[in-house]
Amino acid sequence: MEKNVNRLSDKELIYQLEGKPSLKVAFPIGFQHVLAMFAGNLAPVLILIGVLGLNGTELSLRMIQCAMFVSGLTTFIQLYPIKIGKFQIGAGLPIVMGTSFAFVSTAASIGGEYSSFGPEYALSVVLGAACLGSMVEVIIGLFYKQVKGLFPPLVVGSVLITMGVKLLGVGVNYFAGGVGAEDFGSAKNLALGFLVFFVITFLQRFGKGMWKISSILVGLIIGYIVAAFIGKVDFTPVMNANVVGAPLPIIKPWELKFPLGAVVSFATIYIVSGLETIGNSNGITIAGFNREATAEETSGAILADALGSTVAVLFNALPNTAFGQNAGIVAMTKVVNKWCVAMGAFVLMASAFLPKVGMLFNIMPNSVLGGAVITVFSMIMINGIKMITKAGFSDRNIIVLGITFGLGLGLGSHPEALVGLPPMFQFIFKDTVACVCIISILANIIFPPTKEDKEMAEQMIKEGDN
């Protein structure tokens, strides 16, 4: 089989999973994957840096470098799996990995909660909780067939909506210039935010091909250039940064902290991350091979997600996940060749050794970043609405949603109102996103779907496909 693949031309090889097209063909294809995800890969790290007050520090630069390095590394694992007994880590599919937006809200909340102990201590708590919480995704990867029933569209959709609502608040603060900024809400900041927002929206609506897929990157570049012209960017840190530097972590594994509440909060988000990876894996196989992902591919993709997240944390970056926009590129182009995608992974890892590249993103004005992420955060919420719509709005589903949002989002957003509850129950309501996830799972178990509910969900999915 390999012999036959090697006889194919470059134009034929790019539509085959295996085989090595020439560099002149493979590199541009891989590079467009990098363009589509580069800004989205770094944005969650930049937001956490801002929350912790680490802007412009050596630690923040290392975090950016490490985020690029780990994204490339975990993409290689998805492309070329690691076999351990009967399990494999990695799907063996053209999946591109990057820093997950799903963890931003929880990371920001936990980081803010422990910020009084110092930014490095707060970061060690965030990273430690993310590291230990990833074990939940390992369990999902090993036994995903058995546990998948606990996470129907109502659960995942509710969590995504809650994440979107919380993150929009973060995005608005960045849009206005960043909390604590002297010119917070100034005309310049708002103008930059709206400029980036409108560029991205325009390209999403009217752009074609890579213009549409890379709309976030294009919007950031235009906003960045305008910000530089109006004096909002100081390039001194870029000039002072080293030309070459290794993406080594500053906070070491033995310095990580593991508060139980923070670990539980991260663990619930890993559930969503794992389910997103399942969706992206199937999206790629359906688009590229006209089939659903196999059990081995799906399990491998989730385990690589978990391993990649653990590695990212140990490198002082946020957890990784499969990037949907790159799955969109595969669906649009039908190019599934792993060697081509590997070229993009190589670019990511190489960029991590260039501190000046990382510093360029590190000094980006908050309002420019805010104009981009506010669009992404709203899409997270909308995707949650779409998932709930697929389940339908039967009487049972409305009750489950009422319980989920009433207790989870309502009371979970105001834990100070629950000081009279026993500590165990206060613990559940401590993080809004985790609270919504836990309550939604319990509500779905207490009120199991009827035959009519299942039939309605199947009908809604069919109508959506048409």
Side-chain angles (χ1 to χ4, degrees):
M1 180 68 182
E2 183 65 27
K3 185 177 180 180
N4 292 335
V5 168
N6 287 335
R7 289 176 179 174
L8 298 175
S9 67
D10 281 347
K11 290 184 178 180
E12 294 171 312
L13 276 174
I14 62 174
Y15 301 108
Q16 303 294 320
L17 187 63
E18 306 294 343
K20 294 182 178 180
S22 65
L23 192 61
K24 66 180 181 181
V25 172
F27 187 83
I29 292 172
F31 191 65
Q32 75 174 354
H33 276 282
V34 175
L35 289 177
M37 60 80 68
F38 199 84
N41 180 37
L42 296 183
V45 179
L46 293 171
I47 291 172
L48 181 59
I49 287 171
V51 169
L52 298 179
L54 291 169
N55 299 77
T57 64
E58 183 185 359
L59 176 54
S60 67
L61 178 58
R62 292 284 188 90
M63 290 172 67
I64 293 169
Q65 288 180 261
C66 290
M68 292 188 285
F69 179 79
V70 173
S71 296
L73 178 63
T74 52
T75 298
F76 271 118
I77 294 173
Q78 289 284 23
L79 296 171
Y80 304 104
I82 301 169
K83 294 278 188 177
I84 302 177
K86 64 178 182 178
F87 295 103
Q88 72 175 32
I89 302 174
L93 296 171
I95 294 174
V96 177
M97 301 289 286
T99 311
S100 175
F101 271 105
F103 297 90
V104 173
S105 176
T106 296
S109 296
I110 293 172
E113 182 181 349
Y114 287 90
S115 60
S116 60
F117 296 94
E120 291 195 15
Y121 185 93
L123 180 61
S124 69
V125 172
V126 170
L127 297 177
C131 183
L132 201 56
S134 66
M135 294 302 102
V136 169
E137 195 170 14
V138 172
I139 295 171
I140 294 175
L142 294 175
F143 307 103
Y144 89 96
K145 279 188 176 180
Q146 290 85 346
V147 302
K148 188 178 179 182
L150 291 174
F151 315 114
L154 280 185
V155 172
V156 181
S158 298
V159 172
L160 288 175
I161 289 174
T162 306
M163 283 168 46
V165 170
K166 284 201 69 178
L167 287 171
L168 278 173
V170 177
V172 168
N173 285 333
Y174 269 81
F175 196 99
V179 176
E182 292 182 1
D183 60 346
F184 184 84
S186 69
K188 280 187 178 181
N189 286 334
L190 296 178
L192 286 172
F194 277 115
L195 172 65
V196 176
F197 176 81
F198 285 130
V199 169
I200 293 172
T201 304
F202 179 84
L203 291 177
Q204 282 287 322
R205 178 63 183 87
F206 301 106
K208 304 293 184 183
M210 282 304 299
W211 284 104
K212 182 174 183 177
I213 293 170
S214 302
S215 59
I216 293 176
L217 182 64
V218 175
L220 287 174
I221 291 173
I222 292 175
Y224 208 130
I225 292 172
V226 173
F229 272 109
I230 63 176
K232 292 286 291 181
V233 182
D234 178 11
F235 289 101
T236 304
V238 180
M239 304 302 293
N240 293 337
N242 294 328
V243 176
V244 179
L248 299 175
I250 291 181
I251 294 178
K252 305 300 187 291
W254 54 85
E255 297 173 339
L256 301 181
K257 314 297 180 186
F258 308 95
L260 180 59
V263 172
V264 172
S265 294
F266 268 99
T268 57
I269 309 305
Y270 275 108
I271 295 171
V272 178
S273 180
L275 295 178
E276 284 182 341
T277 298
I278 292 173
N280 286 327
S281 301
N282 280 282
I284 286 172
T285 55
I286 291 171
F289 310 109
N290 197 30
R291 64 170 176 82
E292 292 188 0
T294 66
E296 186 179 48
E297 289 170 340
T298 305
S299 175
I302 298 172
L303 289 174
D305 210 42
L307 174 64
S309 295
T310 304
V311 172
V313 166
L314 296 179
F315 271 85
N316 296 178
L318 285 174
N320 269 221
T321 193
F323 260 36
Q325 55 263 55
N326 295 91
I329 292 178
V330 172
M332 182 182 71
T333 64
K334 308 299 181 185
V335 173
V336 295
N337 185 264
K338 293 195 294 185
W339 181 249
C340 293
V341 178
M343 291 297 100
F346 173 78
V347 170
L348 281 170
M349 295 183 74
S351 299
F353 289 86
L354 303 173
K356 288 185 183 295
V357 174
M359 188 55 76
L360 274 173
F361 280 88
N362 200 359
I363 65 171
M364 181 187 302
N366 287 329
S367 52
V368 173
L369 180 62
V373 297
I374 200 170
T375 313
V376 176
F377 297 158
S378 63
M379 289 306 300
I380 291 175
M381 182 177 65
I382 291 168
N383 286 335
I385 295 172
K386 287 168 65 177
M387 290 203 73
I388 288 177
T389 302
K390 286 183 179 180
F393 292 96
S394 65
D395 290 342
R396 176 262 178 188
N397 288 353
I398 290 174
I399 291 174
V400 169
L401 289 172
I403 294 171
T404 298
F405 289 120
L407 296 181
L409 184 56
L411 293 179
S413 298
H414 301 280
E416 70 279 359
L418 304 172
V419 292
L421 290 178
M424 182 183 71
F425 291 103
Q426 289 187 43
F427 173 79
I428 294 175
F429 290 94
K430 195 171 184 180
D431 181 86
T432 310
V433 178
C435 179
V436 165
C437 184
I438 293 169
I439 290 178
S440 185
I441 291 172
L442 292 175
N444 274 276
I445 293 174
I446 295 171
F447 300 99
T450 63
K451 181 180 178 182
E452 290 75 15
D453 292 321
K454 294 178 180 178
E455 290 175 350
M456 177 185 290
E458 291 175 0
Q459 183 62 33
M460 295 295 290
I461 293 172
K462 287 180 181 179
E463 291 178 1
D465 293 338
N466 294 330

